[in-house]
């Protein structure tokens, strides 16, 4: 039986996660693999409800409450969707995982990144992806793309530029600490070049 594979895509909004996930999905299907595309928050029915709170609630959410909401989404998502798919031998392509929690909530806000990581790992019973693709781009370029695409701002996107700089630095530090799991891609390059680089890192996992 083919063994399953779990790939997560990380990076700020406008870094190209959705674009690259679509291209990678298409290529994986051409290789004869079954692909499950999913995201956090909001990859399950319960997750959709939680996503609505964390991204669209007007007014403050206490930082620990926010961390627990993300962890609750993650626990349900990993248990009911990700693990079963990997056990079936599918490739799970996931938009955002625990690295986003650490980068946004830990580095960006007031909680310690290590606590956020521990909470996430508890929620997911220690599950970590086989590969994490970090699409690294400066926040100004990402902002410009979102403006050009006329995408509405959600709670996190509307944060200030300095916040997005801290998030970017946090993502890069996570990647540096775990080079076996991470592929860091210069996401200012052409879409097709980035896709080719990702495919060449994924290919060895398929055999
Ligand atoms: N490498 C790239 N160069 C230029 N524009 C890009 C690139 N990758 C994505 N885009 C564009 O930037 C916008 C945001 O991309 P998207 O894939 O939705 O990012 P994310 O899912 O990370 O928010 C889209 O309009 C997309 O077409
Ligand atoms: Mg997206």
């Amino acid at each position: 039986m083919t063994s399953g594979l779990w790939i997560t895509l990380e990076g700020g909004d406008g870094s190209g996660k959705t674009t690259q996930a679509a291209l990678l999905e298409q290529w994986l299907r051409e290789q004869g693999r079954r692909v499950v595309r999913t995201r956090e928050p909001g990859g399950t029915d319960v997750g959709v409800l939680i996503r609505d709170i964390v991204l669209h609630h007007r007014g403050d959410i206490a930082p620990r409450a926010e961390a627990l909401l993300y962890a609750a989404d993650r626990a349900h998502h990993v248990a009911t969707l990700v693990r079963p798919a990997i056990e079936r031998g599918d490739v799970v392509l996931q938009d955002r995982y625990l690295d986003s929690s650490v980068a946004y909530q830990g580095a960006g806000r007031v909680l310690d990144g290590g606590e956020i990581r521990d909470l996430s790992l508890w929620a997911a019973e220690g599950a970590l992806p086989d590969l994490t693709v970090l699409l690294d781009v400066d926040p100004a370029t990402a902002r410009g793309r979102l403006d050009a695409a006329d995408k509405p701002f959600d709670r996190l996107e509307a944060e200030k530029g300095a916040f997005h700089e801290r998030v970017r630095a946090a993502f890069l530090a996570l990647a540096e600490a775990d080079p076996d799991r991470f592929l860091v891609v210069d996401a200012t390059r052409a879409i097709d070049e980035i896709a080719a680089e990702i495919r060449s890192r994924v290919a060895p996992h398929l055999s």
Side-chain angles (χ1 to χ4, degrees):
M1 193 187 132
T2 328
S3 57
L5 185 63
W6 186 16
I7 301 170
T8 56
L9 292 115
E10 299 281 7
D13 283 303
S15 61
K17 297 181 299 299
T18 301
T19 303
Q20 293 301 328
L23 292 172
L24 186 57
E25 175 181 15
Q26 190 187 350
W27 179 75
L28 285 163
R29 289 190 192 282
E30 286 163 14
Q31 310 306 303
R33 297 299 299 254
R34 274 199 315 255
V35 179
V36 175
R37 277 270 296 281
T38 188
R39 68 175 183 179
E40 286 191 2
T44 62
D45 51 354
V46 172
V48 167
L49 300 172
I50 297 172
R51 182 184 174 92
D52 192 47
I53 300 172
V54 292
L55 295 185
H56 302 296
H57 174 72
R58 288 159 192 273
D60 284 343
I61 299 175
R64 280 165 195 266
E66 183 180 58
L68 287 164
L69 285 166
Y70 278 109
D73 169 68
R74 177 153 304 149
H76 191 71
H77 184 240
V78 169
T80 67
L81 192 143
V82 176
R83 276 192 197 278
I86 293 169
E87 279 162 19
R88 285 196 304 270
D90 294 358
V91 180
V92 176
L93 266 189
Q94 181 172 332
D95 192 327
R96 296 194 182 281
Y97 188 53
L98 104 172
D99 303 297
S100 277
S101 294
V102 175
Y104 282 89
Q105 295 169 71
R109 295 174 187 274
V110 292
L111 294 174
D112 171 59
E115 287 178 316
I116 295 293
R117 182 183 164 85
D118 290 347
L119 178 65
S120 274
L121 286 173
W122 177 82
E125 298 180 276
L128 282 172
D130 300 291
L131 174 66
T132 297
V133 177
L134 173 57
L135 294 160
D136 178 54
V137 61
D138 58 286
T141 300
R143 172 81 276 149
R145 288 178 184 172
L146 293 174
D147 288 344
D150 212 15
K151 281 195 162 181
F153 294 5
D154 63 33
R155 245 177 102 242
L156 286 179
E157 287 171 30
E159 298 271 359
K160 295 232 180 340
F163 168 85
H164 291 292
E165 294 287 359
R166 290 199 298 278
V167 169
R168 182 190 187 193
F171 272 132
L172 287 170
L174 288 166
E176 200 170 344
D178 197 353
D180 288 343
R181 175 162 67 90
F182 274 90
L183 169 67
V184 181
V185 177
D186 173 0
T188 61
R189 290 156 54 216
I191 289 172
D192 289 350
E193 282 177 37
I194 296 167
E197 188 179 350
I198 295 172
R199 286 196 299 270
S200 62
R201 178 72 179 257
V202 170
H205 287 276
L206 298 180
S207 49

